[in-house]
Amino acid sequence: MREFLRRVTERDPDRIAALYAEEVDWMVAENPAVPWIKPRPARADVAGHWADLAAHTVSGEGWATVGAIVVDGAEAVVTGELGGRVAATGKTFRSPFALRLTVEDGLITRHHVYEDSLAVAAACTPDATA
């Protein structure tokens, strides 16, 4: 778990993806307003997630704090809060999160994120013009 968090902090999509199995049970609440949220069923897709996130948010303004890490055998849950600024709109978002990972044979096979997807989508949506 600590290696995963370290690599996420480094923000190197390929190094993060290297921790995942070839096939991944990936679940993040789909929302067409958020360009980095989409199905990611394979390791190469996982790298795309982190690259898309970096491309659509303002560098240096993203953050996350970890509240708790719970590990039980192959299962791990990380809770905390995250935030950032969307490049296209300039809007910020902030959300509590829970991340559930399953590790099998040393690789992540499940990646489920629970977050305030409405807050993230609102930050990605341009304001209406009159």
Side-chain angles (χ1 to χ4, degrees):
M1 178 55 65
R2 300 227 184 264
E3 180 63 17
F4 170 79
L5 295 173
R6 187 177 69 71
R7 290 188 190 192
V8 167
T9 301
E10 292 174 352
R11 298 183 179 157
D12 181 334
D14 292 325
R15 285 195 28 83
I16 298 167
L19 296 171
Y20 286 78
E22 287 297 325
E23 294 183 12
V24 181
D25 175 7
W26 181 277
M27 193 279 301
V28 180
E30 289 187 48
N31 190 314
V34 183
W36 60 86
I37 296 179
K38 58 183 85 168
R40 308 285 184 168
R43 179 184 291 154
D45 300 320
V46 171
H49 168 77
W50 297 102
D52 288 349
L53 178 61
H56 293 285
T57 56
V58 176
S59 179
E61 294 198 31
W63 57 272
T65 58
V66 173
I69 299 173
V70 179
V71 178
D72 183 13
E75 302 295 324
V77 175
V78 179
T79 64
E81 190 171 34
L82 57 80
R85 181 178 303 275
V86 177
T89 65
K91 295 179 182 180
T92 61
F93 60 91
R94 181 180 193 136
S95 172
F97 75 89
L99 170 63
R100 178 183 180 192
L101 300 174
T102 302
V103 178
E104 299 173 359
D105 298 323
L107 296 172
I108 298 168
T109 58
R110 175 184 299 150
H111 176 114
H112 289 189
V113 175
Y114 307 91
E115 64 186 0
D116 182 352
S117 57
L118 184 58
V120 178
C124 292
T125 304
D127 291 327
T129 55

